[in-house]
């Protein structure tokens, strides 16, 4: 799977997240389902991308960590802070990573398998931030503004990263376009969706730029792996930027909550 296919896969996933953030009271539950899709795709491709031994165990650990993070984000509003939620899901993934290695009969490539499984479980645990961000947006009365704007900015950035141009061109273009999209969508949301609160042009630009930087970095890092051109590993290359971007949106919402007192 070439870069021109991988990036649109991530853009399609980001677009789905943006759409489900607009379904009103059902948005948190719909976001949970969409996030689980991101988790599963990342988990399927990750062991193949890194050419790990015992790939099935790694996939199971990653799915469990991502599912725990997403479900905790939906079922424990206010019971756990955002940092506690992420830490709990990551801890589960790390514990599962060690348990996976202990249960293996063949210990070939033990160190590589352990470190990659830990990294993958943290990656999928971060995907649950999208669910918590949706919950926080609803609780703060901000409506879907920031979540929708962030997801659409991510989708635009990933589409631009797929252009057959040099990275020196596509990366700055993706960052600028993500920032502009986030600011434009955040500013337009109150006129389109009742209850959506604007983030403000400067904060929205900063959030969009951060999402663009994260997407470009993740896409470039994972896409440089030797196995990245194969179909199954490419699933992780396409889905991973979406999984990691949720934490930026969540942190931005926490800043907004702090400013609102």
């Amino acid at each position: 799977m070439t870069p021109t296919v991988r990036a649109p896969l991530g853009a399609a996933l980001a677009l789905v997240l943006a759409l489900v953030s607009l379904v009103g009271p059902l948005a948190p539950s719909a976001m949970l389902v969409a996030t689980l899709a991101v988790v599963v795709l990342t988990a399927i491709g990750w062991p193949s991308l890194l050419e790990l031994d015992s790939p099935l165990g790694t996939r199971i650990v990653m799915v469990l960590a991502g599912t725990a993070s997403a479900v905790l984000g939906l079922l424990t509003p206010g019971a756990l802070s955002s940092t506690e939620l992420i830490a709990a899901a990551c801890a589960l993934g790390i514990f599962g990573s060690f348990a996976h290695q202990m249960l293996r009969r063949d210990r070939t490539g033990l160190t590589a398998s352990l470190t990659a499984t830990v990294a993958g479980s943290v990656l999928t645990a971060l995907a649950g931030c999208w669910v918590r961000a949706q919950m926080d947006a609803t609780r703060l009365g901000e409506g879907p503004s920031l979540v929708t704007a962030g997801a659409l900015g991510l989708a635009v950035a990933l589409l631009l990263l797929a252009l057959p141009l040099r990275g020196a061109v596509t990366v700055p273009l993706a960052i600028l376009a993500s920032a502009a999209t986030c600011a434009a969508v955040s500013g337009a949301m109150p006129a389109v969706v009742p209850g959506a609160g604007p983030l403000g042009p400067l904060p929205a630009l900063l959030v969009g730029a951060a999402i663009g930087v994260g997407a470009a970095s993740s896409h470039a890092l994972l896409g440089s792996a030797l196995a990245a051109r194969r179909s199954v590993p490419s699933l992780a290359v396409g889905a991973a930027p979406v999984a990691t971007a949720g934490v930026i949106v969540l942190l931005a919402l926490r800043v907004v909550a702090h400013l609102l007192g």
Side-chain angles (χ1 to χ4, degrees):
M1 191 180 293
T2 63
T4 55
V5 177
R6 292 195 302 260
L9 170 63
L13 292 172
L15 182 59
V16 169
L17 295 180
L19 291 175
V20 300
S21 71
L22 299 172
V23 297
L26 295 177
S29 298
M31 186 65 73
L32 171 65
V33 175
T35 298
L36 290 180
V38 174
V39 167
V40 170
L41 289 174
T42 305
I44 290 173
W46 186 258
S48 299
L49 178 67
L50 301 182
E51 300 179 301
L52 301 179
D53 296 289
S54 188
L56 178 59
T58 298
R59 291 183 177 113
I60 292 174
V61 172
M62 291 178 65
V63 169
L64 288 177
T67 301
S69 178
V71 172
L72 284 173
L74 182 67
L75 298 182
T76 58
L80 293 173
S81 69
S82 300
T83 52
E84 291 170 339
L85 170 68
I86 298 170
C90 290
L92 176 63
I94 293 172
F95 174 80
S97 299
F98 278 93
H100 166 227
Q101 302 306 321
M102 293 173 64
L103 293 173
R104 287 178 56 190
R105 294 183 178 180
D106 180 10
R107 301 296 178 87
T108 304
L110 178 64
T111 302
S113 180
L114 175 60
T115 54
T117 304
V118 169
S121 63
V122 172
L123 179 63
T124 53
L126 289 178
C129 292
W130 284 106
V131 178
R132 191 53 176 258
Q134 185 66 54
M135 294 290 291
D136 284 357
T138 302
R139 179 175 56 83
L140 291 172
E142 289 293 310
S145 175
L146 183 54
V147 178
T148 308
L152 287 176
L154 175 62
V156 170
L158 290 173
L159 282 175
L160 291 174
L161 289 170
L163 293 176
L165 301 174
R166 295 172 60 88
V169 176
T170 58
V171 171
L173 185 61
I175 295 171
L176 291 174
S178 177
T181 300
C182 192
V185 173
S186 178
M189 286 293 289
V192 178
V193 180
L199 180 62
L202 181 58
L205 282 170
L206 293 176
V207 171
I211 289 174
V213 170
S217 301
S218 177
H219 194 265
L221 177 63
L222 299 180
S224 64
L226 294 177
R229 289 187 174 274
R230 300 203 299 265
S231 297
V232 174
S234 286
L235 295 177
V237 180
V242 182
T244 56
V247 69
I248 299 173
V249 176
L250 179 59
L251 291 176
L253 279 168
R254 301 305 295 176
V255 171
V256 171
H258 177 73
L259 294 177
L260 293 177

